[in-house]
Amino acid sequence: MTAAFQVKFPHFSASVDLDSLLAEVTAAPPGGRLVVGDERVRDFLTAFSRRLLRPDLARRHPELGSLGFFLRKGELARAVARLGDGAGGQRRAPRGLVLHFPPANVDTIFVYSWALSALAGNHNVVRISGRSAGAASAVLDALNDVLADADPAIAQTQRMVTYERDDALTAALSAACDLRVLWGGDASVAALRRHPIRPLARELAFPDRSSLAAISVAGWRAAGAKERRAAVAGFANDLFWFDQAACSSPRNLCWVGEAAAVADCRAEFTGLLAEEISLRGWAVDPAMAVEKYVATYGLAATGAATRISFAGNALAEVDLAGLGRLQRGWLGAGTVCHVAVGSLAELAPAIQRKDQTLAQFGFTRAELDDFVTLVAGRGLDRIVPLGHALTFAGVWDGLDLLHEFTRIITIAA
């Protein structure tokens, strides 16, 4: 097969052919094959974490700070400890070669997926979209920066590559892997699934999801001014990072409580949000603004929206006609669809399997526990405070990724 892969990590290099790529990445590294929680991988990820947390990079790409914290030495140790390797006569082992297809619209998600897989002792090939830029480029630069001091096993076993859409190459990579990880829209996942994997191989898929936020009116009123402002700042991050295109970005904001109190709380929230946007200097380019106008006025035309207002190009607010009109499609960065309900119990029947994250403020743990019981498996995989919607965790879409990236060997003596 002709040369078609451009290697982005380790180092930036010219194209390499498929046979060479697979031969290199599957070979046993110097010092022996990787194991679960391998110290060579931990050391590399820890150095990478420190690089991400440097002020120069954090200022340019603040979203990388979360990634840096996720990969700290202590966090890695706790993640490996949670596997419980060796308990009850069970040992954890790597799965082998893991193939990752991350999305282009969330340009750091591939690092979380890859890092946990590498921590599990796997050899990895990550196909990075040619459309990725910005934070993705900064990540690749940082990875290559810390490679010089890394154990040679890292460069031997890990590859991040780009290639033009090519069914033959995708099929060949899929046939060679032991685990395939698919991220992206439903259509992208379906297209990749046309290429079979080996009978013993497994697949993890993270297709289209949608998310929402909810604020307790009672909780908002009980909170102090500092707590309210912090909640709004967190919501702003959830809203604008990744242009509101991430699966965990909230698109609907549900106000829960007495109808008479909702208007006052919402007005204060909106005022604080406008201040936060101004303080951050955030703006949306004219093309995106036009797209928001078209999408939101389309909701009015169909009766889904009863009112629409804009605060410059950055923020669009939509009053939905009811819970049955919750929006799960992307409407443009900085679009908030408001709906009011009397209680979380009213919201529960509207939850669908596609719904992933509920970012919340002002509810008690008991209220959230009762809500999960009422949802009864319809949807939702995580409930987090406002400001944490985009914070990646080792459990994602209801799956413990480090567990999924390993297999269990039982020992009965």
Side-chain angles (χ1 to χ4, degrees):
M1 192 170 289
T2 58
F5 298 99
Q6 183 179 13
V7 178
K8 298 292 188 179
F9 173 82
H11 310 299
F12 294 91
S13 67
S15 295
V16 62
D17 63 80
L18 174 71
D19 291 340
S20 297
L21 175 74
L22 291 176
E24 291 168 1
V25 79
T26 57
R33 299 193 69 85
L34 300 180
V35 297
V36 175
D38 199 290
E39 290 295 337
R40 294 168 289 181
V41 176
R42 291 200 212 194
D43 289 344
F44 178 73
L45 293 178
T46 300
F48 176 51
S49 169
R50 287 196 294 266
R51 179 66 184 86
L52 292 179
L53 292 172
R54 278 172 42 176
D56 62 323
L57 189 56
R59 281 193 298 269
R60 286 187 289 123
H61 301 287
E63 67 271 30
L64 296 184
S66 296
L67 176 57
F69 278 102
F70 182 81
L71 296 176
R72 287 176 301 169
K73 184 177 182 178
E75 292 297 319
L76 299 178
R78 282 186 283 273
V80 173
R82 283 194 293 270
L83 282 174
D85 191 28
Q90 294 184 341
R91 290 294 308 276
R92 289 274 175 177
R95 287 200 173 273
L97 179 62
V98 180
L99 175 62
H100 307 254
F101 288 96
N105 65 331
V106 184
D107 51 10
T108 57
I109 196 72
F110 74 91
V111 192
Y112 292 97
S113 175
W114 161 77
L116 287 173
S117 181
L119 184 62
N122 294 303
H123 298 215
N124 293 275
V125 174
V126 183
R127 193 266 181 171
I128 300 172
S129 170
R131 293 185 288 128
S132 295
S137 296
V139 161
L140 290 169
D141 288 340
L143 284 168
N144 283 307
D145 284 347
V146 299
L147 188 63
D149 296 323
D151 189 281
I154 303 302
Q156 176 72 53
T157 60
Q158 312 299 317
R159 293 291 183 278
M160 297 182 186
V161 302
T162 61
Y163 65 93
E164 297 298 326
R165 289 179 182 246
D166 188 312
D167 284 347
L169 290 177
T170 299
L173 286 173
S174 296
C177 73
D178 299 292
L179 174 66
R180 183 170 63 182
V181 185
L182 308 179
W183 301 81
D186 292 349
S188 296
V189 170
L192 289 166
R193 278 180 164 168
R194 295 201 313 266
H195 306 295
I197 54 178
R198 294 185 291 191
L200 284 176
R202 298 194 65 203
E203 180 179 271
L204 299 177
F206 301 93
D208 276 338
R209 303 297 299 274
S210 64
S211 296
L212 65 161
I215 293 176
S216 164
V217 170
W220 179 266
R221 285 180 149 184
K226 186 176 180 180
E227 290 177 287
R228 296 179 187 180
R229 190 171 289 277
V232 171
F235 181 78
N237 288 340
D238 292 342
L239 195 65
F240 284 96
W241 282 0
F242 307 119
D243 287 336
Q244 207 179 348
C247 58
S248 54
S249 301
R251 293 167 186 170
N252 304 281
L253 176 52
C254 302
W255 291 91
V256 182
E258 296 179 2
V262 167
D264 289 341
C265 294
R266 177 178 160 183
E268 182 185 7
F269 180 90
T270 300
L272 291 173
L273 182 58
E275 289 179 18
E276 188 69 24
I277 292 170
S278 176
L279 181 66
R280 305 281 189 97
W282 282 339
V284 172
D285 65 59
M288 177 73 73
V290 169
E291 189 163 354
K292 285 200 294 188
Y293 274 96
V294 172
T296 54
Y297 281 114
L299 296 179
T302 62
T306 59
R307 178 178 172 273
I308 297 167
S309 63
F310 291 86
N313 284 352
L315 184 64
E317 293 195 272
V318 178
D319 287 19
L320 295 176
L323 273 178
R325 298 293 196 164
L326 290 179
Q327 295 301 302
R328 293 177 169 87
W330 186 70
L331 298 169
T335 304
V336 185
C337 296
H338 295 270
V339 65
V341 293
S343 66
L344 281 176
E346 291 181 35
L347 175 61
I351 298 298
Q352 297 181 5
R353 185 65 190 92
K354 187 176 181 178
D355 297 328
Q356 183 215 60
T357 298
L358 175 68
Q360 61 81 27
F361 178 80
F363 297 96
T364 66
R365 178 60 181 266
E367 288 174 318
L368 297 174
D369 280 339
D370 290 344
F371 177 63
V372 169
T373 300
L374 290 172
V375 169
R378 290 185 186 89
L380 290 183
D381 295 311
R382 53 199 293 263
I383 299 176
V384 299
L386 289 185
H388 292 265
L390 300 172
T391 301
F392 194 86
V395 176
W396 197 254
D397 281 9
L399 298 174
D400 188 320
L401 295 184
L402 201 52
H403 281 255
E404 298 292 337
F405 287 137
T406 61
R407 58 191 181 88
I408 298 173
I409 300 175
T410 58
I411 303 173

